[in-house]
């Protein structure tokens, strides 16, 4: 292979590598950001992610969260939204206790219950 062909092959390889870096780095950063927020490895947060952050605490909904049949939102009020945009419902903490130990997340599929991670 002559010198011109080697230089051209190197330039094409460098351009392809640069294009891959330009595409893959932002995708990797986005995956990492969503993972830190939700514990899921996705580009966009699910409505009910594995982990929900609310009131400076983390709540575990689980990787395969399922709605709880018959679960109502009686006595609960909307307190925020998950990273994926679903409504977070919670009750006021019991007197003398400032920690909410579980939250409910409502979607079109039903009501999901997520428990406090790591204790109060």
């Amino acid at each position: 292979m002559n010198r011109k062909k080697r230089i051209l092959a190197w330039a094409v390889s460098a351009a392809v590598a640069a294009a891959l870096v330009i595409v893959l780095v932002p995708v990797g950063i986005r995956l990492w950001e969503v993972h830190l927020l939700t514990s899921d490895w996705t580009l966009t947060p699910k409505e009910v992610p594995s982990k929900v952050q609310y009131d400076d605490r983390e709540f575990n909904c689980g990787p395969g969260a399922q709605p709880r049949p018959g679960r109502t939102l009686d006595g609960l009020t909307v307190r925020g939204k998950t990273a994926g945009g679903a409504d977070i419902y919670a009750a006021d903490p019991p007197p003398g206790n400032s920690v909410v130990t579980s939250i409910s997340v409502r979607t079109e599929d039903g009501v999901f219950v997520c428990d406090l991670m790591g204790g109060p």
Side-chain angles (χ1 to χ4, degrees):
M1 190 150 61
N2 67 31
R3 181 180 167 109
K4 287 183 183 180
K5 287 184 181 179
R6 281 194 308 251
I7 291 172
L8 180 61
W10 178 85
V12 169
S13 297
V16 168
L20 283 173
V21 167
I22 289 170
V23 171
L24 293 179
V25 167
V27 169
I29 290 170
R30 179 62 182 168
L31 283 169
W32 183 248
E33 288 172 341
V34 171
H35 177 71
L36 288 177
L37 187 62
T38 67
S39 290
D40 296 324
W41 289 102
T42 60
L43 289 174
T44 57
K46 299 185 281 187
E47 274 191 303
V48 183
S50 297
K51 176 178 73 177
V52 173
Q53 296 180 358
Y54 162 73
D55 197 24
D56 295 326
R57 292 185 162 72
E58 296 177 341
F59 293 81
N60 181 22
C61 299
Q66 295 293 318
R68 298 257 177 108
R71 179 70 177 207
T72 67
L73 298 171
D74 295 341
L76 306 178
T77 56
V78 176
R79 301 297 178 108
K81 293 210 176 271
T82 65
D87 290 329
I88 297 172
Y89 288 79
D92 290 326
N97 185 358
S98 63
V99 178
V100 173
T101 58
S102 71
I103 59 172
S104 295
V105 177
R106 184 183 61 130
T107 70
E108 290 180 2
D109 296 329
V111 176
F112 299 74
V113 177
C114 309
D115 296 318
L116 180 63
M117 294 173 69

